[in-house]
Structure formats: C-alpha cells, structure tokens
Amino acid sequence: MDDRKDGTGRTFLVTGASGYIGGRLVPELLRAGHRVRCMARSARRLRDHPWAGDVEIVEADATDPESTRRALDGVDVAYYLIHALGGADGFAERDRRAARTFTAAARDAGVRRLVYLGGMDPEEEPSPHLRSRAEVGRIMLDAGVPAVWLRAAVIIGSGSASFEMLRYLTERLPVMVTPRWVHSRIQPIAIRDVLHYLVGAADLPAHVSRGFDIGGPDVLTYVDMMRRYAAVAGLRRRLIVPVPVLSPWLSSLWVGAITPVPGSLARPLVESLRNEVVCREHDIDRYVSPPPGGAAGFERGVELALRRVRDADVATRWSSASMPGAPSDPLPTDPDWSGGSLYTDERGGEVAASADRLWTVIEGIGGDRGWYSFPLAWRARGVLDRLVGGVGLRRGRRDPRRLRIGETVDFWRVEEIEPRRLLRLRAEMRLPGLAWLELGVVERDGRTRYTQRALFHPRGLAGHAYWWAFRPFHDRVFGGMCAGIARAAERDGAPERDGAPGASDAARTGVRGM
C-alpha cells in the first residue's frame, strides 16, 4: 500500500523557513508527524533553529529553475511563503518571477499540492503590495497543480510586524493624531489559527484548488484594535484624533519614528490598511476543522502574544527576514583579501572572569542591555539611520539571552555564532560600505581573554571619508565597549546596562589592503 494515500510518509517542503511564518510552521508540521524539507538561499540561516536537526535543508533560490527543481524533487506538499519585504522598487516583478519559476518547477516535479499564504484580495483598488500578493495567488492557482491560496488580513502574534506596529503605537502614545486609515474595517487572525489552517490545507481533496479567506471572529477598525489592545495590556484608554492629511508616506514616517518597524516596511503595511480587509466567505471550515477551542478572538490573540513577549519566548520575528537594500556580503576570509581596502579596529585584553561568564555578556549584547559605551552616540547613530531610511536601533532582539544566525540585534544581523568563541555581526545600517563587528572569547592556560574587532570595507571616496571622519570617536565607542564588556563579565549578577565609560586595556588600529 502506498503510505502517501493515508496521509503518512509524505514530504513537505517549506520555503521562507527563516521568516516569521515559515519558522513557526516547520515545528507544527513536525509535530503532525510529517517529513519536512526546508528550502533556503543559505542553509546557514537555519542552522541554529531548534528544529534544524529534524529537517532536511536544501539550498535554492526561487528565481533559479534548476536549484528550485532539485529542491522540489520527491515533494508531496509545497508551502510557498516567499514575499518581497518593504517598499523597494521592482518588488512586484521579483515576486512574479519567483512565483512562476517555483510553480513551473513544482509541476515538473510532480508536487501534489501547493499551499500559499497571502493577503486579502479587496474589492476596491488594492495597495501595490496587496495587488502583488493577489497576483502571486493567481499564479499558484493557475500552476496546473492543486493549490490553496489562504488569504489573511492582520496577523496577531508575538513578533509579527503588524502586531509590533500596533503594540508600540498603543503603548507609546496615550494621545494619537491618526490618519483616515485607522477607520478601515479589518478582520484580524491569531497566528496560532493561521498555522492551524496552513497545516490543515495540506489534506484538502485533490479536486479543491481555490482561494479561501481566513480570519478571526472579530471585525474591527484599527482604532478599535488600539483601544482593545490598551485594555488587554492594562493601559489607560487612548485618545485618538483622526486627521485627513496624513498620506501613506507621511504615515510610514510617523510609524517608523514611534515603532521598531522601519519606514520602508511600515509603508506597505500602512498602504494595505487603507483597504477594507474582511472575509467575504469562510468556506475553509468545510474542509478543515476549526482550531481547538474555536478561532481566537482579538483579545485572546493579544493575550497570547503578550504572554510570549513578557516570557521572552518569541519563536520568530518579522526582522528575521532580510530588509531590502541591506548588505548581505559575508565577511572576507582571505587574509590577503584583494577586494580593496579593509579598515580594522582591534582591541582586547584579559578578563578576570570565566569564559562562560564572558560569553554570557557577549551573547546578551544589544537590545535593552545596550552596547556598553557612549550611549548617546549609539542612539544618535540609530536616529540618523532612521532619517535616511535605515532600520535604526529599535529592532532590538528576539531573545534577551540567546542568539542564532540570521537574527537581528538592533541595526546588526548575526552572521556567525560559535558558542563560547565568536559572535560576528554584520551591519545593516545605511553606510557607504560594508561593516562587521566581531566579539570573541579565547581561553588559554586557565585565563580568559576578550577579543574585539570592527571591520569596514569602504565603497568609493565617501566610504574612506566616513571611516576617517569617525576615527577620532573609536576609542570612546569601541574602546569603551571593550572595557564595559570586560567589567560586566567580572561583576556578579546581570550584565550592566548601556553607558559604561572608559577605554580598553589594549588597542591596536590598523588598515589592511590599502
């Protein structure tokens, strides 16, 4: 008997497994007893996920037919969770090309079911991003493979961009002057229910190939959502004053100034909120049983999300996905790198603490704990980055104690982590070049040494000017960080907060490859 016929023994492919939805879907599929294969452009991005040892990981780019076809070989159900993030030009064409490449490869590989999660398809003129999501949905349905297009509005879950935007706007602004889109009708859905429908969609009969609206039991305006959030969070009732003059561009700047969500991502979210996004049907209930206990209402979804946030138990965050325009070049490893100039600032010294204690401080850097030196300079750099369209410092961390490859730490992204030895961060702030920061532990002859290296690869004259313009501040910023981390490791108790003064006990600044 073919074990695929009774639903066992099937292979499920998950694209976007390093992202917010994909990273939560994988463990749900594993719990359901399925074999899971994850497709990623870089397998390293998935290495540190708790489920990485239980899945097969293949490297492929959805716009490359050959690698995508190999990734889909032997797959029964494929989840397509790839979206261009932010407002970069050409995102619709990239989404279109990737979807067509993926569906063609799925058809050639004999995939039995495609499952796609997109946005609502409103009746009125949709925003550019909703229009692109709908186009991808139609490409899936026209693929010649049975497909399900699940259409969701705002997803309420710890770490989602929509929830972070709602949370920070409500918590930080007791009085808000808001644009007209706060009165659009929205049908939010809890992340746990989205995952329930994603898993269930794999078992739809082969003849079912269509889109389904999915939503929670409440239809609210954004004003309603902010006020209800405030009530659940124990905040005073918010005073909201709508005005008609804030365009989506101005609204995105406003959101970017208040929340961790940068303007480049806030703009498509805001543009989508202009549309009424309410379920026109809920036919999915004919094929997939309701979530255990029924679909979660808005207040329940917020309660579950806030509990995760307060317990520092956020599995994935919106910031896990790469921002458009952010550098992705890995650190050059050739000591005689011929790629041009590479400026370095190297510091370090012995620390009167165990290697484990020093590593705890290193892995906990950033976020609420800060950077152990010249806090005003770090904040000013974050504000400047926001003003020029960058991510700024507000992204923080997913977990205050543990890091994994691909996660963000303020305006850095974890490029490499070797426990008790090395943490390498790649800068994602706007720079005329590429930058990395390495923090390390060396344990030898019973002694512990802290090592720190900042590297900068300039682009053009502006890059060289940038390095030398900020060179006079290095002792205060990098030296202070070196000394502050050492002191935090030597103290008993939790690491100190941002703001430690001082300079390192040893420093060497050099220029390589000039």
Side-chain angles (χ1 to χ4, degrees), residues 141 147-151 209-213 281 283:
L141 297 181
V148 174
W149 168 18
L150 297 179
R151 299 183 289 249
S209 186
R210 53 165 289 189
F212 294 94
D213 290 345
E281 46 80 19
D283 296 346

Side-chain angles (χ1 to χ4, degrees), residues 319-361:
S319 56
S320 300
S322 299
M323 293 296 295
S328 58
D329 307 53
L331 176 68
T333 55
D334 183 354
D336 298 318
W337 184 48
S338 60
S341 303
L342 188 64
Y343 293 113
T344 65
D345 182 288
E346 300 185 25
R347 302 170 189 266
E350 286 192 6
V351 178
S354 68
D356 286 336
R357 176 62 190 148
L358 177 57
W359 179 254
T360 297
V361 176

Side-chain angles (χ1 to χ4, degrees), residues 380-447:
R381 186 63 183 88
V383 171
L384 177 62
D385 195 52
R386 283 274 178 157
L387 291 176
V388 296
V391 295
L393 282 175
R394 292 204 189 99
R395 290 190 301 183
R397 303 167 48 110
R398 179 192 63 86
D399 186 303
R401 295 175 296 274
R402 296 287 179 265
L403 292 173
R404 57 194 185 207
I405 286 179
E407 288 189 329
T408 55
V409 182
D410 296 330
F411 48 44
W412 305 88
R413 189 174 294 274
V414 180
E415 182 174 279
E416 182 58 85
I417 183 166
E418 300 176 22
R420 299 183 76 251
R421 200 182 84 81
L422 174 71
L423 171 64
R424 180 186 302 140
L425 305 173
R426 184 182 68 245
E428 290 195 330
M429 73 281 277
R430 295 297 177 93
L431 290 169
L434 304 173
W436 298 266
L437 180 62
E438 289 186 336
L439 312 177
V441 179
V442 177
E443 191 176 21
R444 187 176 301 152
D445 299 327
R447 296 182 176 181

Side-chain angles (χ1 to χ4, degrees), residues 5 17 34 52 63 86 155 161 210 228 248 269 288 334 338 353 361 436 450 493:
K5 291 181 179 179
H34 300 301
T63 61
I155 296 176
R210 53 165 289 189
R228 290 195 185 191
L269 291 176
V288 179
D334 183 354
S338 60
V361 176
W436 298 266
Y450 170 66

Side-chain angles (χ1 to χ4, degrees), residues 331 342-347 378 412 425 434-439 450-457 467 474 477-479 481 508-512:
L331 176 68
L342 188 64
Y343 293 113
T344 65
D345 182 288
E346 300 185 25
R347 302 170 189 266
W378 285 96
W412 305 88
L425 305 173
L434 304 173
W436 298 266
L437 180 62
E438 289 186 336
L439 312 177
Y450 170 66
T451 64
Q452 177 180 297
R453 185 168 68 142
L455 303 101
F456 182 66
H457 169 42
W467 174 265
H474 286 188
V477 175
F478 295 131
M481 179 190 298
R508 175 171 59 84
T509 303
V511 179
R512 191 175 73 205

Side-chain angles (χ1 to χ4, degrees), residues 19-39:
Y20 178 73
I21 298 292
R24 298 192 182 207
L25 176 62
V26 169
E28 294 295 322
L29 293 173
L30 290 171
R31 276 192 284 270
H34 300 301
R35 289 196 299 261
V36 179
R37 180 184 300 169
C38 296
M39 174 178 138

